[in-house]
Amino acid sequence: MLEIKSRNEAIFLSEQPYALNDEITPLLKEYFFKPFRDKEENYFQFAHEVDLDYNDMYKLASELFENPSNLHDISKKITKHLFEQSNHPHIKNGEVYVAYLTNLNIDNNVVDAIGIFKSELQSDFLQFEEKGTTLEMILQHGINLNKLDKGCLIFNHKKEEGYKILTVDSNRYDARYWLEHFLSVDAFEDENFITKKYLKFCQGFAKDVVFPAEDKKEEVMFMNRSVNYFAKNDQFEET
């Protein structure tokens, strides 16, 4: 459980890691990973204006990748770091889950990864209980496993550049809290990032130049040609 620093609430840390079973494991895997499947892959990397070693999460991730057996102790440090960023009144309390993941595939490499997930918004749900000859309705509150509020996957890949990271944030009321204050990341500027950047540039050109000068059909054809060009060419000359 993670409470919020700005409201002088406490932080509760479990003294033991949770032992998964066959019933809850597939539910948690779907809860944690589904948002990443539904989202376009835009990678990030840890960053710092002076040196990566000053980025707290980069240091903690490196420590965990070097000593996976220290997962529980390092997960406490990660949660405390998140708690320290919880100064804004809009930030909601919730539960934090830290997992060490193995056998993930990225850029044709099989690597380990660290998963950090946070649930914030609770849902109402009904439970029913038989009491004699009547059925009693019980209102309870809990986590909706169909919607993860925040999460990131830190892949043990490209360490020197700040690792490759995927992140999701379903809530926009505290957008800077997760990406900037907690993770401190920038976009990972690889070939995929640059290609998307130029496709966005072409899209803007099609909308602002081609469409006004021609028509919608020509705008669509221009974008189709642009997409086909980048699909067929591994390199291009900007000029």
Side-chain angles (χ1 to χ4, degrees), residues 15 37 90 95 129 142 154 174 186 201 204 235 239:
E15 281 303 315
R37 294 199 302 269
H90 287 170
E95 295 74 33
E129 186 176 310
I154 305 164
D174 55 1
D186 285 337
F201 167 76
Q235 296 180 339
T239 52

Side-chain angles (χ1 to χ4, degrees), residues 95 119-126 139-147 149:
E95 295 74 33
S119 54
E120 295 174 335
L121 303 179
Q122 293 201 347
S123 301
D124 296 333
F125 61 93
L126 294 174
L139 177 64
Q140 295 187 336
H141 306 278
I143 304 303
N144 184 349
L145 293 182
N146 291 319
K147 182 175 180 267
D149 290 297

Side-chain angles (χ1 to χ4, degrees), residues 32-33 36 64-65 71 78 96-101 104 113-117 151-155 178:
F32 291 156
F33 300 141
F36 296 96
L64 183 48
F65 283 133
L71 169 63
I78 289 172
V96 176
Y97 320 80
V98 181
Y100 193 82
L101 311 166
L104 277 72
I114 300 164
I116 306 169
F117 314 97
C152 72
L153 296 173
I154 305 164
F155 296 90
W178 185 256

Side-chain angles (χ1 to χ4, degrees), residues 33 50 196 203:
F33 300 141
V50 177
K196 287 180 180 178
Q203 186 179 26

Side-chain angles (χ1 to χ4, degrees), residues 73-87:
D73 287 338
I74 297 172
S75 73
K76 290 182 179 181
K77 295 178 183 179
I78 289 172
T79 307
K80 287 176 182 176
H81 173 61
L82 180 61
F83 176 74
E84 288 300 318
Q85 315 311 312
S86 308
N87 290 311

Side-chain angles (χ1 to χ4, degrees), residues 35-36 39-40 42-44 116 150-155 165-169 178-179 183 185:
F36 296 96
K39 188 174 182 288
E40 184 181 5
N42 291 311
Y43 287 98
F44 292 85
I116 306 169
K150 289 175 171 61
C152 72
L153 296 173
I154 305 164
F155 296 90
I165 301 164
L166 287 174
T167 179
V168 293
D169 188 350
W178 185 256
L179 271 184
L183 294 173
V185 292

